Amino acid sequence: MTADNFKWLKQSKEKIGTTVTLSGWVRTIRTTNAGVSFLSLFDGSDLSGIQAVVPDTLANYEQVIDQVSGCAVCVTGELVASQGKGQQVEVQACHVDIIGEVEDPQHYPIQPKRHSMEFLRSVAHLRPRTNVFAAVTRIRHAVSMAIHQHMSNAGFYWIHTPIITGSDCEGAGDLFRVSTLDALKPPLNTSGEVDFTQDFFGKETFLAVSGQLNVEAFAQSMRHVYTFGPTFRAENSNTSRHLAEFWMVEPEMAFTDLSGCADCAETLLKGICQSLLTHHSEDLAFFDQFVEKGVLARVTNLASQGFERLTYSQAITILEQSGQAFEYPVKWGIDLQSEHERFLVESHFKRPAVVTDYPKDIKSFYMRLNDDEKTVAAMDVLAPGIGEIIGGSQREERLDVLTKRMLESGLNPDDYGWYLDLRRYGSTPHSGFGLGLERLVSYVTGVSNVRDVIAFPRTPGHAPY
Amino acid sequence: MTADNFKWLKQSKEKIGTTVTLSGWVRTIRTTNAGVSFLSLFDGSDLSGIQAVVPDTLANYEQVIDQVSGCAVCVTGELVASQGKGQQVEVQACHVDIIGEVEDPQHYPIQPKRHSMEFLRSVAHLRPRTNVFAAVTRIRHAVSMAIHQHMSNAGFYWIHTPIITGSDCEGAGDLFRVSTLDALKPPLNTSGEVDFTQDFFGKETFLAVSGQLNVEAFAQSMRHVYTFGPTFRAENSNTSRHLAEFWMVEPEMAFTDLSGCADCAETLLKGICQSLLTHHSEDLAFFDQFVEKGVLARVTNLASQGFERLTYSQAITILEQSGQAFEYPVKWGIDLQSEHERFLVESHFKRPAVVTDYPKDIKSFYMRLNDDEKTVAAMDVLAPGIGEIIGGSQREERLDVLTKRMLESGLNPDDYGWYLDLRRYGSTPHSGFGLGLERLVSYVTGVSNVRDVIAFPRTPGHAPY
């Protein structure tokens, strides 16, 4: 029942002149008075699909031209070089089998026209049949595979860190609780609190917001490692830029300072973009034409331009001297806003930049304290058109300094026993960063709402699929 | 600060005679009276590491031989062909920098001796420094990457299906609830039940036990797709073969019947094993020697032997005629137990087997009903030494039959609106299967407890890391 996918068929010049079977769905049908009809077929393997030329000599010709739109079909015929514009091959059909019909065609949600993204979110189970969502899915796959291939080729081992955890990894952010206790009448302890010792793991547990602390343990044993998996933040921010569930890649490197960390981030982003340009130029051109003019140039630039490097203090000076009227006033100590980040990379440098050494008070406890005791060895990678796309740091490897920073941040070191323990035994300078998959896919496709780059959209206050 | 990892250095013959820097940890130190000491170093990139020859002419020689065991070090010196047995290269050290010391060496948990797996579970943050756990981590990485490469090369797109879901995908199994409601005093509705409309997603949500139902939607648009991510079962089975959180790969193929599904499963398993034999023979040989005699032959056989194909009914006949005294008596209709599965592949066929067409009453509602109306198009892939390693089926693509099977299984079709809806629009015969990562890693390494093939062990009743 299986057959070559359309993408491969089109690349197999030796198949021209042979009989092939196409398994896919009918996007459109065009009938003519010249005794033939044209079926535009897709199977998800590429954007443009293959055209089948259906002669009226077929036994089921009338049924085909009446009913076939949207149907799943198997079309058998000779693969020939195409006379039509914009396609290399087509199939001269000698059999068209309708495998799966469309019940009630007028109400089939995916009509051959342009649909709004809002509407498509309401029929998420069918939206991969549209050009735009299938292309998003291919790009998401390609970005994900490029990440794995790049990291693996660079000698990094993929670590599956725990999703269900006993502690809030970063000491910040709202968490999803994971429990098997009775929701209505949970068991109580003698203090009248919920008795989580009776829960599945014997303590209160949450969905991990990051794999970083766990993967640091592996970096301290296997040098170059990374996580790539789902992470969770129960932040009820109804923006198009945030998801409660998203995938993140988190490389972590022992024997590596912040400069090496920035090198790794720049190389990874370039590698991903280069892979997209090599293998998915058809989809990128589609997004450039129909979704956001300029995404092709964006990907090309990210793949080729050197990233500027500067400190936070230098960035503040540039912003202060820019003469720009920013919504959020600039002074040393503020967290950079999107408008500041974008001014730096879009107007000032006109290329991506890595900003390092942020004030310690706006960054996490685990980031390495610099000798000035005012800044930490943090970095943000900023890109034109989006601002921050990667955040990372050198980690604090000194036990005494880390403990002090925890206390300053209101954390109880007793909750981080093994994380502190790592600093007691052969601890090395180490660094790492996080890159959110959905944000990157949104960036390289121009599909601006992150709910449109995931499989099934789930929005706070709305039932998930 | 970064440098080539040890695995690459050993493969770079052109580096012999050059000065290199090794960044890693000291496994053991052997001092001699001949004016030199030998440091055995590892960096996680491979099993055997590299030896550094340290002359007593080094300024810090006394400090090194006194303190260096377990430490993180950077060793600089000339890479030379080794005189020693079992190693190709070594480094003649001219500098040894101790980067990270071991505080209180007597109490460092990872001493240069053999530790029990039970003990290592209690120091999970340090256990990747042992040979066995680093090798497990490399094999787990290699299996995972082989899965991705095999699927991607076969034209499958990787889909990230939702982890937080609104329904129990398979209508079976205990679920973890995901919530942000107050655990002690959740809001109640007028019926006195927990008011999940006030929860994060506006309804009660759980961790997904499978991505199958979701990925079927993508197969019905993009033909060949797969999931590879974490799944969750809150089953409090304290066996060494089950985890509450585990990774699973789930390929799903449109236009594909059960036979094509079995082909895909066999090809995937062979591809994974072949990749391990090609790239990780050193680690496999280690497991064969120190963990379970025979795992190397097991992997070799799985990569090369053809898989037997037979129906469940044929399997029952073989078992009934075997003359074996099984603990669980054999008759048509029973679920096959591990003893039955292993008899088939270990004693009878002496090779892996795919058993198909199980009684419908012991299988899930979504499996396609055969024409006999007694069996469904299900399959289990059985392997010597473990029994079932893959489970799959052709899916029921007929709306009326599926609805009937749901009702028979006690499920409410209204809870599966979009899943049924898929059958209304260009539905095709489709098939898929699930392969658990931890079970496979346990199988190819001989590390029998699945808690020892994950990053951080979490056991019901015990606090997770």
Side-chain angles (χ1 to χ4, degrees), chain A residues 66-213:
Chain A
D66 261 16
Q67 299 178 7
V68 83
S69 187
C71 288
V73 294
C74 287
V75 176
T76 302
E78 188 186 349
L79 190 71
V80 298
S82 173
Q83 267 96 65
K85 213 170 125 249
Q87 55 197 19
Q88 306 97 11
V89 297
E90 62 188 22
V91 166
Q92 298 284 352
C94 57
H95 286 290
V96 176
D97 290 329
I98 299 182
I99 302 290
E101 296 186 357
V102 168
E103 189 185 298
D104 190 9
Q106 295 93 311
H107 294 100
Y108 176 41
I110 310 297
Q111 298 291 331
K113 63 163 191 172
R114 193 159 177 157
H115 298 283
S116 76
M117 298 301 256
E118 290 74 14
F119 170 73
L120 291 175
R121 267 173 240 145
S122 72
V123 288
H125 57 299
L126 294 168
R127 69 179 184 173
R129 291 205 185 153
T130 63
N131 276 332
V132 63
F133 202 75
V136 163
T137 304
R138 287 189 294 271
I139 293 289
R140 187 179 169 122
H141 166 85
V143 169
S144 302
M145 288 304 293
I147 288 169
H148 274 312
Q149 274 158 8
H150 181 89
M151 299 311 295
S152 194
N153 290 344
F156 285 68
Y157 289 109
W158 183 19
I159 309 297
H160 300 102
T161 52
I163 308 293
I164 303 175
T165 61
S167 57
D168 167 13
C169 300
E170 299 205 5
D174 294 318
L175 301 175
F176 288 106
R177 188 189 309 106
V178 175
S179 176
T180 56
L181 294 179
D182 189 295
L184 183 61
K185 291 194 189 301
L188 304 181
N189 61 24
T190 51
S191 312
E193 297 155 338
V194 175
D195 183 9
F196 287 109
T197 66
Q198 295 188 45
D199 207 347
F200 191 84
F201 291 106
K203 66 180 289 192
E204 191 172 14
T205 53
F206 306 95
L207 292 179
V209 300
S210 159
Q212 180 203 316
L213 302 199

Side-chain angles (χ1 to χ4, degrees), chain A residues 224-287:
Chain A
H224 285 182
V225 291
Y226 69 108
T227 70
F228 189 17
T231 49
F232 303 86
R233 311 241 166 126
E235 288 159 13
N236 213 323
S237 56
N238 267 308
T239 80
S240 58
R241 289 173 53 174
H242 293 92
L243 291 164
E245 173 181 329
F246 60 101
W247 281 63
M248 187 154 62
V249 54
E250 296 180 286
E252 191 74 31
M253 296 156 277
F255 300 99
T256 301
D257 62 12
L258 192 62
S259 167
C261 187
D263 293 344
C264 179
E266 179 172 345
T267 311
L268 174 61
L269 280 177
K270 284 183 154 53
I272 294 167
C273 289
Q274 194 54 60
S275 175
L276 293 180
L277 291 166
T278 305
H279 300 296
H280 289 270
S281 57
E282 187 187 38
D283 287 324
L284 290 179
F286 168 80
F287 288 116

